[in-house]
Amino acid sequence: MHTTPVSNRLHIGIFGKRNVGKSSFINALTGQNIAIVSDQPGTTTDPVGKSMEIAGIGPVYLYDTAGIDDSGELGLKRVGKTKQVMNKINLALVIVTAEGFDEADIRLVEELHSRGCDIIVVCNKIDILQPNGAILERIAGYGIPCVRVSCATREGIEEAKQTIIERGSKISPEQPSLIGDIIQPGELVLLVVPIDLGAPKGRLILPQVQVIRDILDHNAVALTAKEHELLDSLKMLTHPPSLVICDSQVVKKVADAIPPDIKFTTFSILFSRQKGDLATFVRGVRQIDRLQDGDTVLIMEACTHHPMPDDIGRVKLPRWIRQFTGRDILFDVNAGPLLDKDLSTYRLIIACGGCMINRQEMLFRIKAAHAARIPITNYGIAISYVHGVLQRVLSPFPHERTLCNMPAAMLAVDL
Ligand code: SF4
């Protein structure tokens, strides 16, 4: 459980105004001194995250955040960082106190509610003042449970834990399935994995490992080969694989090498389906056909990784898109959080695979693109499209495949 990647953990965030006892609640909940606690308002500055296990829920990533009512130039920056955390949360714990409960608490609940996460309100400091009926009614109006605790006396902490376990255990951070719904037990899946200079020494990368694990979890068989050994591997087999999965960078080579009746896709497409919305990304990729000279495309990287000299998002993809369109297209890069970026100035957004973020955050990015009415696609789908093999790699996904044949103008109307 300790090796569960952060992006696959249930993300729980603790939110609230300054000095309502957010950090004390984390410490009381976990029985550990994770958060720095002081009576001084604003002790927690930047959001602090920690991987941990909660019995009954499993692996979680728990965030402690700064007070949402922080003020001043630095305070507002801290509030901005807290809002970034809201974009990736599956379960929000909103800490309030009866003595300080006001409209700011309600606005916070509404803001989290609008992001679609599950919410529990925790009314702290009941040793000083119990919440009155009016407060409880307003919270109940959102269909949100309210638990009452005192971190000082530990009253109500066990009940709060049970409520969190009950709600948290019902939320799955990994919907839909990676591959389980497109393979049958006993089937053979052939994985094509290039081991080039960019590959890490002595191991496979996380998405490859996760796909192998999912194949095994569904009682199918995984066979892995490098692209140079692909043809030899196929010849060795007494019957063809049910599915071939390859890295996007060799998609054209593999598409040309395998018989057309074998289902075929890429690691990137599997993750774009699990983490984002495959249909949205397939619709969005058709915008490439409508790009004109001088248009700007946003390359949306979810983390601030160190770019390689021949980086897929910054170098190869722009080159392939310019070659495919024959247009003089400009590319801009946003690495890490979106902050308050104005997306409306772009003609297309291309999201990375998002291996470092969770589904909640990728869906937030898709929502932001929709709000700006800008089509969004992802690296793997764009690469397959400009290499002319998108229909092939969508063969396991018939619904999304039909979108390839619709006129690009019709798809844009759907935004
Ligand atoms: S795919 Fe996205 S999240 Fe993963 S390393 Fe690349 S830029 Fe970062």
Side-chain angles (χ1 to χ4, degrees), residues 8 173-183 189-193 206-216 218 222 242-248 251 263-279 281-282 352-355 359 362 378-382 384 390 392-398 400:
N8 284 9
E174 281 191 66
Q175 296 264 334
S177 166
L178 193 52
I179 192 172
D181 58 333
I182 57 169
I183 54 169
V189 182
L190 175 59
L191 308 171
V192 186
V193 174
L206 187 59
Q208 295 159 353
V209 174
Q210 286 178 289
V211 169
I212 292 173
R213 174 62 199 256
D214 211 40
I215 292 168
L216 300 179
H218 290 90
S242 305
L243 176 67
V244 174
I245 305 169
C246 77
D247 187 280
S248 291
V251 69
K263 281 192 197 158
F264 168 46
T265 193
T266 67
F267 290 103
S268 175
I269 284 175
L270 293 178
F271 280 91
S272 71
R273 188 174 77 116
Q274 189 194 47
K275 286 234 167 129
D277 181 344
L278 184 55
F281 289 150
V282 173
C352 73
C355 66
R359 177 171 164 80
M362 185 57 85
N378 96 332
Y379 285 14
I381 290 163
S384 296
L390 185 60
R392 281 291 310 276
V393 294
L394 290 176
S395 56
F397 311 108
E400 287 80 3

Side-chain angles (χ1 to χ4, degrees), residues 301-305 352-357 379:
E301 296 175 346
C303 76
T304 51
H305 72 294
C352 73
C355 66
M356 305 296 281
I357 60 173
Y379 285 14

Side-chain angles (χ1 to χ4, degrees), residues 244-367:
V244 174
I245 305 169
C246 77
D247 187 280
S248 291
Q249 302 202 48
V250 292
V251 69
K252 177 81 173 89
K253 215 186 231 180
V254 177
D256 290 344
I258 57 169
D261 56 330
I262 296 180
K263 281 192 197 158
F264 168 46
T265 193
T266 67
F267 290 103
S268 175
I269 284 175
L270 293 178
F271 280 91
S272 71
R273 188 174 77 116
Q274 189 194 47
K275 286 234 167 129
D277 181 344
L278 184 55
T280 294
F281 289 150
V282 173
R283 279 195 192 94
V285 81
R286 305 290 304 284
Q287 180 76 349
I288 290 178
D289 294 338
R290 294 151 62 97
L291 293 175
Q292 302 295 328
D293 289 338
D295 283 346
T296 307
V297 172
L298 178 66
I299 299 292
M300 193 164 74
E301 296 175 346
C303 76
T304 51
H305 72 294
H306 181 68
M308 306 285 288
D310 206 15
D311 195 81
I312 187 82
R314 298 182 184 212
V315 181
K316 287 184 180 164
L317 200 45
R319 185 172 70 228
W320 288 329
I321 290 178
R322 285 193 189 108
Q323 280 168 358
F324 178 81
T325 58
R327 304 276 182 196
D328 186 14
I329 294 159
L330 307 171
F331 289 85
D332 195 5
V333 177
N334 183 89
L338 272 184
L339 300 176
D340 293 326
K341 198 162 187 73
D342 178 9
L343 298 179
S344 65
T345 57
Y346 300 103
R347 286 279 287 167
L348 173 66
I349 298 167
I350 308 183
C352 73
C355 66
M356 305 296 281
I357 60 173
N358 65 357
R359 177 171 164 80
Q360 193 82 359
E361 189 170 358
M362 185 57 85
L363 292 180
F364 171 79
R365 286 165 181 251
I366 292 173
K367 244 182 169 176

